[in-house]
Every structure is written in structure tokens, then in C-alpha cells.
Amino acid sequence: MNKHNIFGMTLVCLFATLSHAQSPPRFSYLKANNLNAAMRQLAARDSNAKIEITSIGKTGEGREILALTMCVPRQKSRQAWPINIQPRAMWKSGLLVVSGLESNSLIGSSVILGLAEKIANLELEPLAQTLGERMLIFIPRVDLDGSERYFASGPAQEQLGNARAIDWDRDGRALNEDTPVDLNHDGIITQMRQRHLSGTWIDDPENKGLMRLADASKGERGVYRVFPEALDQDNDGSFGEDPNCGVRLDRNFPHGFQEHHLPSGPHAVSEPASRALADFVLARPWIETVLVYGSHDNIHTLPMAGKQQKQKSFRRRSEVTQYHSEDIKLLEPIHDLAHESKACAQSRVQSISGSFEDWTYYQLGLVSAAINLFDAGTPKENAQPTTKKRNPSSQPTTKPTSSFTSQPSTPKSSKENKQKGISPWKAFLHPTLGKIEIGGWKPFYRDNPAPEHIPSMVNRQFPILSLLLSRSARLNLGDVQCKQLTEGLFELKAWVINEGEHPSQTKQNTFNRFAPSDLLILEVTKESLLSGQRRHTIASLEAKSGRKKYQWLLKGRSGDSIHLHLSPAHTSPLTKEIVLP
Amino acid sequence: MKSLLFLAFSLFLCASSTWSQTADTSAPKMELAFNRYYDHKEIGEILQRFKTTWPQFVDVGSMGKSFQGREMWVLTLQNRKTGPENEKAAMYIDANIHGNEVQGAEVCLYTIWYLLENYGEIERVTKLVDEKVFYIAPTVNPDGRDFWLHQGNTSSSSRSGQRPIDNDRDGLLDEDPPNDLDGDGNILRMRKKVEKNGTHKTDPEDDRFLIRVEAGESGDYVLLGSEGIDDDHDGRLNEDGPGGYDMNRNNPADWRPPYVQYGAGPYPFSEPEARSVGNFLLNHPNIASVQSYHNAGGMILRGPGADYVSEYPRADLRVYDAIGKEGAKILPFYRYMVLFKDLYTVHGGFVNFAAETLGIISFTNELWSESQRFHTKERNRNARREFNDLVMMGSLYREWKPYKHPQYGDIEIGGWTKESSRVNPRFMLEETCHRNAIFTLNQAEHMPRVTLNAEMRSGPTEKTRTVRVTVTNNALIPTRTALAAQKRIGLPDFLGIRLRESQEIIAAMEVSGPAHNETNKIIPNDPGRLRLESGVGSKSRRQFQWIIAGEGPLEIYFESQKGGAKKTTVGS
């Protein structure tokens, strides 16, 4: 059986042969061109929402990475707005939802497409309720090149990374000359194991068909050594050590980027696709919140709060590597809802160096959530929802020592289902190694549920999306008072208040000062301003209650009108006309 | 008196024609003045003249385009007849990453000119052109260069490229730059006379200058900062000028975000100029040595840029120290220094990228030392004034002149011009060009020079033969730096043997020990292609031995990204 033995060949063939003219299947895994076609069709259909497609750039192999933007139209017309250089007057606080940074995880793209379709179908009132004054941007798949492996003909093989050619074994020969192969002709490429004195792995008694590392502290001794299912095609003594895979985009962003590590790339933001995404975000200062679907997580288990750095001069600052406790509070409502609705899975890795969500939080100062939608092998002890924050003693483990069971976000997931994803170990006579066994996880099974589960996953994510949309900073001009002190002399006072659920800036942004400031601008001539500044940079205002007073002394004539502009960092400016009394 | 005589002698030397540096006394094939600064367009034209004059050695290309669309010229200089470019060790030289640090471009042009003029005249030059490749990029910040040369600036402004940045976070880009109010091509100082109410008074020794008043004393002047107006009416002057980032902090080597490292940009290689240079280096793994020119201070700098790596491996330090100390002799008044220890911390610097990310021996020279003015290391706080008055006919200083300022009213504008420090006085440029060019050619001579020798003898059994191969690097720079080996940067070197069908490798081993007679390193995998992760070290050799079954000659090859390709045949 090829690939995921649940979704089967029929669906795969159906998607692969889909033409642009046809409607793509609504809930399925889609090839890049079909995914883009589906997005374009969605944008072209009748909807109460204003929908626009933007190409954010191209991948290394030239595939177009599309963003789909949705909002409630300000006017009823469907007149397009220049989304690339949107005038400030049109700004709405943006929520960016990204997926497909990992080539082996396709579920995020399908869920995003489902969410976009759901919103496009909404009647005007629920639409206005959901989107409100927000701009919603979906980028369903970034690593379009790497994800095409899922649909490739021939034996199914799960490889991480994009299509960049890397000489993994650094042997200076032809690239990818020793890729894994389907030795036993079962249509899938899995793993080989061999009993050997140097073995470090043992059978996991609690998970039939899986292995775990032997724990020497418990007196266990390794039995197997493990390789990819491969020959030694280049006769260098290693097996499948030069596979056909490239840079992992989910590790190619600057925060915590791992230098001299081939899967992370030659340098941060080295890949056309990651650069396109970074430039897209940087060119849109109105993006306030980011949600990433993939195998990363900071929602199931909240990040650990770090010791807060004091405001030092720039020359003495060091890089922040842990969340500010106040910023974790911004993720808590999502965490609570995701657990309540079983909408997230625990990540099987502790922390990801160079992830997109970390770059957008630590360096851009945005609210940035990462949800792991699915993992067929979530450790048992972490399967139950937890409301605990991540701390050193309860961090998830990468060690496959725990028992595996069904995980919370998989509808109808069961031990039986998981077993379908594991190929039982079968004896094989390897031309070089001799007696071995072939088996283990089937390609793509662990991170991608059967397509019939997609609709229910979309339904579980919709409340999360709605909650994220309902939470933002909302600055407003409060009390504006102008009084005459004496003839020709006026005192102006104005309050700026934050009515939103988020502070006007995250704590991280008050520290890194990357995102643009909220501004208060009094439009008067230099001569008429006796005291106070024409342009004020507004310090961060707390959620709900944050307010700050500004004061000016003006020269003028009764009846003259002046303008006060509030220009929030993420939304369009507000202007108040003030007539001097 | 002694120093005056020395000065007169130096002036005489510098006044002599450009071709005086050549071995020949005949006129140069290509006339080029080294007593002036060229803008980007002129540099492009000069590079084309090199190509036209010496087409057999020169190619002119572009690494990419700057933010404002200028070409990032790079000239490739080599003798194409002596072998493929990618099989020769290469030296990369660039300059002017900071817009105001201009004179490195002229050093680059001089280096090209010197190599081409002297090919066939000076043996060492001929050998360099025949055996090595030079990639020379005179300006890697062409927008910044032209801005500095053609707009009002100080000697320190502006380092940046010209991409508009919101430096004051007020939502506007580059809206309050310094202004050349008097239109003299310089950003000078502004002062205002405030009788008995100021912070400064005229210097009693020289009334052109102001000095701060002592405590309890009152002065007649306040200094208002650099020449400019409050363009955006925010109460501050010149706080959002052109650009506002640093391309020498935009490289992917220990890159840190802008809140840690000023000017770093939003991500490594976010700036097109830095990205173009980075891609050029990534695409030329044969580059074994890198030189970057900045100003000022008279320094020969090496990394690390920050203490994220405590120091370079000892083997690499020996190479750096040898080249750096030679440099300090070639370049009077220059000091050999370590960036993070002796100067300041740099995250994301270009030479750090070259050295720490790509494993290339790399230096930065800070051109022009103030000591060069009077050829003395003696500290003299009035040296600039005296140099201006005695040597430059007062041309480096502008007298105070009245100006009606829109915000400050009646003020005066005056002070030092942009060429008064950091850049070489033009008449002293050529010596800087020559000495720095020689410093880099000296580095180029130290790049790996590999020889390959193979011997064959019969045995150890009746049907086998033993091949012993010696790979020798006769140069100071190893084929792989110790850092490259440690971090597994690039490809290892390879020593291989090409077999005929009837031949078989029985065993491969490295020969070691003080007398090179111990064969204690058995190579188990891929014995026909030995992986030399640590390459061939500085002025050293490595020996390997194969036991071969089967008759006939054997071809031995050596492949190294920075040490070139060699092959030899043994046996019959």
C-alpha cells in the first residue's frame, strides 16, 4: 500500500489529475498547483467578505506562494484595494495564519483552506461578528516544493526540507547519490534495523512496532542499530546518508538560528520562500498577531517565562531568549480554549531553533501562537489536556521513551488507528548488512490524519481563529478638552485609551522597539504651538484599562479649528477636529 | 628639523608619477591617477578600461544591484591559460561597505593596476597572476559612496546604505536629515552667540575654535550640533537622515537583531548589497583569503567579532599572527588587532562572515592613521589644525559664517570639512594604496600551494603493490582552516585513486609519526576517496598509503576547494 494507507491511492490519483478548471476536492491534501487553484477559486467566488489573492513570492523551484486576505468590506463594493502598498487610511489590525513551513506536514494547508471557505460562506452578520475590524491573511503553504514529495510517484518517502540540493554527506560527489530506497518493494520507504553489539535501540514494550532508546540508567542495553531503508549506493559504508531533501523552512528564521547545521540552511532566511514570507510580514506593519500551524507548539504547552531583562543601553543588551510573563498571558485564552475543544496536540520536540513564530515574537514583537494540529504518536502522559505552563521539569521530551497513544486533536483517533500507521518489522536480506528487519512509521502518517478528519479539525480550529480575531489592541481618543486660558491662548488636553484585549505593544516590543510606534499628532503650525510636541510616540498602553494624557498650550483665535490625529501602529488613523472655544 | 626633512622627502615621493611603483621606468600601459576619489560611474569606467587594456587577464561582472539600482562591480583577474578558475586559490578584496569610508576603492583600483602593469615585469607578480585568482570589488556600497562624494556630509556620515528607514519611529522615512545649509558640500557645525550665557567660549590659542567653559565661568556661544534644520518640526534636528543601518552588521555570522546590534537589519542579508556579496562568496568556494577596506585608525583587524567564540583555534591564530605582524611592518602606523578584544564587539560583520561562517582567513584594514600626518606617533591634539594650516593651505577648515536659521535665528556655520579626517589627504593617497595593495598581495602569496607526490613499490605480498602519496602545502595558509574543520564548513579535501577494472584497493592508511613511518590510521570506509577534513595544514604535509592488487598505472588526485586540484600517475 502506497503512503497513508487510510486515505489510499484513489484520492491521491484524483488530486494529481485535477485540472485548474475543475473544483478541487473540499477536504483533502492538495498538490501545490491545485492548492493555488483552490485559493484563486475561493477569491473569485461570491462572498460577503472582501477576498484578495496576493503572490508573496516564489519558491526555489518557481512555485508561487499565495496569500489570501479577507476582511469585511468598508463599503459594499468589491473594489480591490492595493494590498501590497495599502494606504495607511485602509489599515486594519492583521491576523496572519501560516502553515506548510514543514514539507512533511500538509494538514495545516487543508485546515487553512477549510477555514477560509468557512469564512467566505458566512452571512453578513456572522461575518462582521467574526472578522470585525480585522484583516485576516492566510498563507496555507510556504514550502510548496518540499511538500510535493507527498504526491510524487514511486515509493512513498517522507523527507524534511525544501528542494535545495544539499550534499548531505559532504563527499563532493554527485548530489543525493545515496538516497533511501524501497528495498522490500512494499511501496513505502521506512527504516531498517539490525541486531548489533553497537545497537542503542530496543523494542518499546508499550508500543507494538515502535522502538525506543535503551536507558542505561535502568540497566537496559541496546539491541538494534537503525538506518533509513537504503542501500550503500556510493559504497562509502553509510546507508541512505545523502537523501534528496533540503533546508527546513521552519528552522530558517533568525531567532536562535543554528549556524553550521545543514538542515537549517547556509544562513538564516537563505531560502527564497522564507525570504518571501519575511519580506511579506515586514512590509505589512499592520499585522499584529501570527498563528502558525505545523508541528511546533506554544499553545498546548505555554512557553516558559524568562527572567525579565532590565532596559539597558543598546550597547549592553543581550538577546532575549525567553518569553515575558505578561506576553504569555496573551496566549493563555487560546491555550484554554484549545484544550477545552481538543484543538491542539503536544509537540514532540522541545524547542525549534530558527522558527518563524519565534522570529515574529522575539524580533518583531508580535503576538505569535503556534499550534500543532496533529501527532499520531503523542506521548501518553501528555495526552490529557494540561493547563500547566511549560517549566523546566514538565517540558515535553524528544526521547521516544514514553508510551504512545491517541492524541487529543485527532477525531476518533485510537490505538488501532495508530497501529495502521506502523509497518510491522519484517525480515530482509540486505546485500551489504545481511540479515535485517524493515518497518516502523509509515511515511507522512504521523503528522497527517486521514482526510475525512479534516472537516472536524476545521470546526475545532474555527473558534480558535474567532478568538484570535476578537483580541487585539484598540486605541481610541478619549476625552478631548480645550479651554481658553486668556484671549488667544488655549490649553488642549487629550486622553488616548486602549479599549482592546491586547496591550498596545507586547512587552517584547517595548524592549526591542522593532514594530512602529503608535503616534499622536497635533496638526498645528510651529508658531502656534507654545508648549507640547506636535508628534508624540505613545508608550505601551495596557489592555482594557491603559490610558495616557497629553497636553498642549496653543496660540490661536476662538473659532479656529485644529486637527488631532491618532495613528495606531496597526490600524488606520483617527482624526478629531477641535474648534478653539 | 628631522621631521621636516622626512616630511619633505615623503612629499617628494608622493609627488612622483603613478608608474614610479613599477619596476620599469617606461610609461604605464594605462594611466590612472591615485590622488583623487572616484565615484561609482567613474569606477565602472576604469574597470572597463582595465578589461580593454588587458583582456587576457580581466573580466568585469556585477554581483548584483544596490538598493538604488547601481551595479555592484567585481573584477576577476587571472591568467585563464594556466588552469580553470575554480581550481585555483582565490583572493577576494572589497571596500567601502560604509558609505563614508571611501579610499578603499582606490586601493582596490591600485591593486588591479599594479598586478596588471607588472605582469611579466616583476616575477612575484607574474606568479601571482598565473597561479591565483583575484576577485576585486572596489565599492560594495555604491549608493553610500556616491551619497558621500556628491552630497553634504561629515567625515563620519553616512555609513549606511540609502534604503529609507524610520530611525525615530515616527512613521515617516528619512524626513529629517542633516541639511547642507550653505551648500558647500559639507555638513559643518552650527553655533549661536549668546553673550555670557553660553556653554562655550573661543579658544584663546586659536579663535576659530570653541572650548567648553570651566565650572562657574560663562561663555558666549552654544553649539547647536550638525548643520541642519528641524525638517519634521518635532523639536529635534537631523534625527532621521538617509538610511540608518549598517551593512557590516547584516551578515549571517553571529547575527543579532537590531535591539542588540545597532544597524543589523531585520534579518541577515536583508540588504541587497550585503546579500550580493554574501552570495558571491558562497558561490566561490575557492576563495581562500579575504580583505576588506574601511577607514580609519590604522588597524589590521581580524575576528572574532564577538566573544561567542572565545578565540580562533590555535593553528589559525598562528597564520593570522604571521600575516598580521608582517602587515604591521608593511604599513607604518598600523596596529594588528583583534576586533572584539582590542576594538569593540561586532555581530554580523563581514569579515566574521568570511572567517567564521565560511572558514576563510580574513582581515579588515582601517585605512589612514592620524599619525601619518606628520609621520610621528607622538600625540598632538592640535595635529589636525597644524596639518590644515601648514600642509593643506587651510583647505580642510571652513571659517564661521553667519546664517539665518529658520528655528534658531541668527547663527554661524563653520568647522571641519568631510575630508579633514578619516580619509587620506589626496596627495597622500597613493602611498596608502601601494602599501595596502602589497599587504593583500602578501596574503595572496600565502594562500595554499599544494604539491602531490606519489611513489610505488611492490609488496607487501607477491601480488600487491604499495603506493605512498605525499600531499604538501608549501604556504602559510592551510587548505582548510582549523575552524572550518571544527565546524565542518564547506567540503573536506579529498585524496583519491582512480582504479582500472582489474585493480582493487586492499587497504588505505594514513602515515604518521615523527619520522613518517607509522601507519596506524586505517581508513575503513570509501578507501578510494580519502576524506581530509582538516585539509593540509600550514607549511606541512600529509602522507597516505594504499595497498593495491592488480597491475597497471594508477592515477592519484587531490581535490581541495581552496587548495586547488592536482593529479599524478604512478606505476606502469
Side-chain angles (χ1 to χ4, degrees), chain B residues 442-467:
Chain B
N442 190 45
Q443 278 179 66
E445 284 185 318
H446 287 313
M447 291 195 298
R449 280 195 312 281
V450 174
T451 56
L452 185 65
N453 289 302
E455 294 167 11
M456 180 181 275
R457 59 183 163 79
S458 56
T461 63
E462 200 180 316
K463 291 186 176 174
T464 57
R465 294 176 295 167
T466 300
V467 183

Side-chain angles (χ1 to χ4, degrees), chain B residues 73 155 181 210 237 376 379 403 550:
Chain B
W73 300 122
S155 57
L181 299 174
L210 296 179
L237 255 65
T376 173
R379 284 191 174 275
Y403 185 82

Side-chain angles (χ1 to χ4, degrees), chain A residues 24-55:
Chain A
R26 290 178 64 233
F27 297 112
S28 57
Y29 294 112
L30 299 178
K31 280 171 75 80
N33 57 351
N34 292 334
L35 178 68
N36 285 355
M39 290 172 70
R40 289 185 198 283
Q41 284 178 16
L42 191 59
R45 63 188 285 182
D46 275 341
S47 169
N48 290 316
K50 197 164 185 176
I51 307 175
E52 192 173 287
I53 286 283
T54 315
S55 171

Side-chain angles (χ1 to χ4, degrees), chain A residues 169 171 259 279 515 519 535, chain B residues 169-170 254 267 529 531:
Chain A
D169 56 355
D171 68 351
E259 292 182 354
D279 288 342
L519 298 170
R535 297 174 82 87
Chain B
R169 299 177 74 223
D170 68 350
D254 184 36
Y267 59 80
R529 187 172 166 84
R531 181 183 280 255

